Amino acid sequence: MPLAGGHSEPKPATEEIQAKVESIKSDIEARYDGSSQNNETFQVVEFRRQVVAGTVYHFKIDIGNEKCLMAKVFEPLPHTKQPMEVQNVVCKPLNEPLVTLATKRT
């Protein structure tokens, strides 16, 4: 069991998680410096979450060619009616474990 405010252990992606990522796919691609828009796939492999004043997600997204994007996304509490915010994206080899990214300001 994670500590209050701590990150969960990595978990396999679910349909709900894939749908969240699909809803912000263009934001993730825009945040990444390389071009992931013409890759074979865009499938969440695993994720971890941290409950704060909202939820911080760390996603590992398979983009094909043995590469993945690691993305940090903040989902505000529902009553705020604010959209999810992509806070950082990096490209890594697919065989690397899911990492917890820092927030990268643009």
Side-chain angles (χ1 to χ4, degrees), residues 9-52:
E9 291 299 316
K11 299 176 184 178
T14 63
E15 289 181 19
E16 177 186 357
I17 291 298
Q18 183 66 37
K20 280 183 190 291
V21 171
E22 289 291 335
S23 75
I24 56 170
K25 179 180 177 184
S26 62
D27 295 336
I28 291 171
E29 291 173 334
R31 198 61 199 254
Y32 172 55
D33 294 336
S35 174
S36 64
Q37 292 153 346
N38 294 320
N39 285 292
E40 300 169 10
T41 185
F42 199 85
Q43 186 71 38
V44 181
V45 176
E46 61 183 348
F47 73 101
R48 61 172 73 215
R49 74 177 69 168
Q50 176 187 26
V51 177
V52 289

Side-chain angles (χ1 to χ4, degrees), residues 45 60-63 66-68 70 92-97:
V45 176
K60 180 178 179 179
I61 305 163
D62 181 353
I63 58 170
E66 297 300 314
K67 295 188 292 184
C68 71
M70 305 275 186
K92 300 273 187 182
L94 184 59
N95 64 355
E96 287 205 14

Side-chain angles (χ1 to χ4, degrees), residues 24 27-28 31 55-57 59 71-76 82-89 103-106:
I24 56 170
D27 295 336
I28 291 171
R31 198 61 199 254
T55 304
V56 175
Y57 289 97
F59 299 114
K72 179 180 182 182
V73 176
F74 176 68
E75 182 177 40
Q82 297 296 311
M84 288 190 285
E85 175 191 356
V86 179
Q87 297 183 331
N88 198 353
V89 178
T103 300
K104 181 179 176 185
R105 300 290 177 201
T106 55

